[in-house]
Every structure is written in C-alpha cells, then in structure tokens.
Amino acid sequence: MINYETIEIPENFQYLGPYLRATGQVYDLPHNAYIMKGMTGVGGTTIALDNDEYYVIACHTTALIREKCNQPEYLGKVLPITSEIDNETIIDFIESGGKKIMITYDSVPRLVNLIDISNFRLLVDEVQQMIKYLGGFKTHVCINLIKSAFKFKSTSFMTATSTSLEYLPEPLRRLKIVRYEWKGAVTPQIKKCQIKSNMSEKVLSFSLNVLDNSKDEVYLFYNSRFGIVSFIKKLLKVKPSLTLKNINLMFSNTIENTEFFKKHLGKDFEYGCAPNGTNNKRINLISSMGFEGIDFYPNKD
C-alpha cells in the first residue's frame, strides 16, 4: 500500500521556503520521500542548498549544476562535482567543513566510494529524467544511482512533472509519496500555432519581428543541431551587424556537439550559459538538455 500525503499550499505562497517558515515547520524537504512539488520554480532545490543540513543534490546535467553553483550566494559554498573535478578537491572540501554538494547522476557512486556519506542527505532532482534514462539512454547510470542512493542518511527524489506512480522503480514506490497542491496556481495562457511547412523561415520571421519591433529577448527551444545552425546562418545573413557573440547557444557540452558546431559555425563557437539578469543576450537557442531544471532571470536593465 502506498503511503501518500497531499500538502495544500495556501494561495498567498509562491515558494516552499516562505511557507515552511510562516507555518513554523522545519526548513527542509521531506526525508525518504518521493516529492511531487507540483510546479517548477517553487524553490525546492533552494531549501536543500540553504538550510544547515549536509546535502548531496544529484542532477541530470552539468549545465544545471553550473547554473546553480555560479550564483553569487552559492559560489564557493556549494561544490560542483562533474567528471572534471578530481578526488582531492572533493576530499579537501569535505575536510574543510563543506556541507553542500551538487553532482551528476553518473558521479554519485564515485562519491559513495570516496567519502563517508552517512552524514549527508541525498536529494535526487528532476527525477522524471532519471525515469526517462532508465528506458535505455543511461540505464546502467540510473541503476547504479538507485543502488547507491539508500546508503545516505536519508534519500528523497523530487520532480515537478511526475511520472505515473505505477511506472516508478520499486525502491521509489516504497518511499512516502508527498504531493504539494498550490491553491494559488494559475494556468499560463500560451499562444500557439501549428507550422506545417517552411518552419525555419517562419521561426526566422518570428525572431526578426521581435528583434526589430521590441526590446524583448528571443527564446527558441529547438532540439535540432541542423535546425539551429541553419537558423543562425540565415539570421547572420539578414542581420550582418550580429555575430556569434550576440547569440546564447545552450546545448549539452558533449564532444559530438562541440565538433558539429565548430565545423558548421567556425572555431570561435562557444557554448552560452543561463541568463542571470546581467549576462543576458537577446537571442537564446536552447535544447532540452540545456534548459530543464535551470533558472532563467530577466535582464535587470
């Protein structure tokens, strides 16, 4: 039998942190739980980063880790662990009293074998991605993650877009299921249209209209390297005053992607980063691996 709890958040709250403080609750996420936070951007990960507990937060992309760890309030306080971080750096961080670690799914077993994790709580974030990876993309990574997860002081899994509970791996279904229901949530009204032909031309036309007739930023979520390269070449031809430096390209930083973009866009190609309010560019081209779970902030100007 599933242990299920629904927590109603009054309409005057938009974030979990203020709700916990206002109601006198412990400033932490539920332990040993599968957490359905109900909406994106409600500050679930922030709680694990800001409280006094020892936390390891496992994420599916290095882009998400870099975005969080480079925020001023977390710079130096949270250790980002990817394949580029050596063991000595990790050990030194723990021995100097470090409490917060962000890590990729792939690296969790490495951490388990490197330090004493019995004092750390584990939060596996963006669990819908872990479920997706189990289907074939990174099956062994996710199995190893689940096997390692329950060696921590506590283990919780969190998502804003939950997989149907019947499809959860058995270890997750044995956890307490916690669902947040936001009474003040409003469904956004999104204008949409169906494009049946000449997609690249219509995307270009839309972008030019925004650039020419407003000061707004353009965000294109486009899971096609060929489509993105075609768009960039056409845009730079129409707008000769623009260069690659005016474009924020957020794709997964893999060898294959890098070789492709340098081949088609030139050796000066560089990946972009999440807009934080001061580094924003008007043209943003983003794949699913480059944005899911990442916070974007509007230009402060």
Side-chain angles (χ1 to χ4, degrees), residues 7-289:
I7 299 175
E8 293 187 356
I9 310 294
E11 62 181 14
N12 54 314
F13 291 102
Q14 295 179 311
Y15 300 98
L16 279 172
Y19 165 75
L20 293 176
R21 288 194 169 107
T23 54
Q25 299 183 54
V26 175
Y27 190 72
D28 201 358
L29 296 167
H31 302 154
N32 298 315
Y34 179 78
I35 305 166
M36 299 186 292
K37 59 183 181 179
M39 293 197 306
T40 60
V42 296
T45 310
T46 299
I47 292 173
L49 290 173
D50 285 350
N51 66 16
D52 291 329
E53 295 280 344
Y54 286 82
Y55 256 104
V56 172
I57 301 167
C59 309
H60 65 298
T61 66
T62 55
L64 196 160
I65 293 174
R66 285 194 297 268
E67 186 267 333
K68 285 289 186 184
C69 292
N70 287 334
Q71 291 178 14
E73 61 267 37
Y74 301 131
L75 197 61
K77 174 185 172 184
V78 182
L79 177 67
I81 297 181
T82 61
S83 59
E84 294 82 17
I85 300 296
D86 58 47
N87 291 347
E88 185 177 352
T89 299
I90 299 171
I91 294 171
D92 288 346
F93 178 79
I94 299 301
E95 290 182 347
S96 64
K99 287 186 173 184
K100 309 292 183 180
I101 293 172
M102 292 195 75
I103 191 169
T104 57
Y105 292 166
D106 310 56
S107 297
V108 171
R110 171 190 172 199
L111 186 67
V112 169
N113 293 323
L114 187 63
I115 66 171
D116 180 7
I117 55 151
S118 60
N119 291 324
F120 282 85
R121 302 190 187 280
L122 175 67
L123 174 65
V124 181
D125 209 354
E126 305 295 339
V127 182
Q128 76 281 355
Q129 287 296 330
M130 189 192 77
I131 305 299
K132 185 187 300 182
Y133 291 169
L134 273 169
F137 178 54
K138 286 187 174 182
T139 302
H140 70 284
V141 168
C142 298
I143 290 175
N144 289 335
L145 169 60
I146 293 173
K147 287 181 178 178
S148 301
F150 296 94
K151 298 177 182 179
F152 288 79
K153 183 177 181 179
S154 69
T155 302
S156 294
F157 297 79
M158 185 166 67
T159 177
T161 52
S162 177
T163 303
S164 177
L165 298 182
E166 63 183 303
Y167 298 118
L168 292 182
E170 183 61 29
L172 274 64
R173 278 189 281 158
R174 292 199 297 264
L175 297 170
K176 181 177 183 179
I177 309 296
V178 178
R179 182 178 71 90
Y180 292 103
E181 182 178 314
W182 298 83
K183 306 305 289 186
V186 177
T187 302
Q189 300 299 313
I190 300 175
K191 295 181 181 179
K192 59 184 179 181
C193 67
Q194 183 178 12
I195 299 176
K196 296 183 178 180
S197 62
N198 300 323
M199 179 174 177
S200 60
E201 286 78 7
K202 290 178 181 177
V203 171
L204 178 63
S205 176
F206 164 81
S207 303
L208 290 173
N209 181 55
V210 175
L211 293 173
D212 291 340
N213 298 299
S214 76
K215 295 183 178 180
D216 295 338
E217 297 168 10
V218 177
Y219 288 84
L220 300 178
F221 299 89
Y222 208 153
N223 276 328
S224 168
R225 292 181 306 191
F226 286 100
I228 285 297
V229 165
S230 174
F231 170 82
I232 290 174
K233 288 181 176 180
K234 290 177 181 178
L235 178 66
L236 297 184
K237 185 176 181 179
V238 175
K239 291 281 190 182
S241 60
L242 298 178
T243 69
L244 280 177
K245 293 186 181 297
N246 301 117
I247 299 173
N248 184 18
L249 182 56
M250 293 179 61
F251 267 61
S252 182
N253 187 354
T254 64
I255 294 175
E256 183 181 5
N257 280 349
T258 302
E259 289 178 349
F260 178 87
F261 287 125
K262 284 187 177 292
K263 176 182 177 180
H264 292 281
L265 297 176
K267 59 182 177 60
D268 294 331
F269 161 78
E270 293 181 352
Y271 291 102
C273 56
N276 63 16
T278 60
N279 66 349
N280 296 39
K281 296 181 180 181
R282 290 197 69 195
I283 307 163
N284 301 271
L285 311 175
I286 310 161
S287 75
S288 62
M289 294 297 288

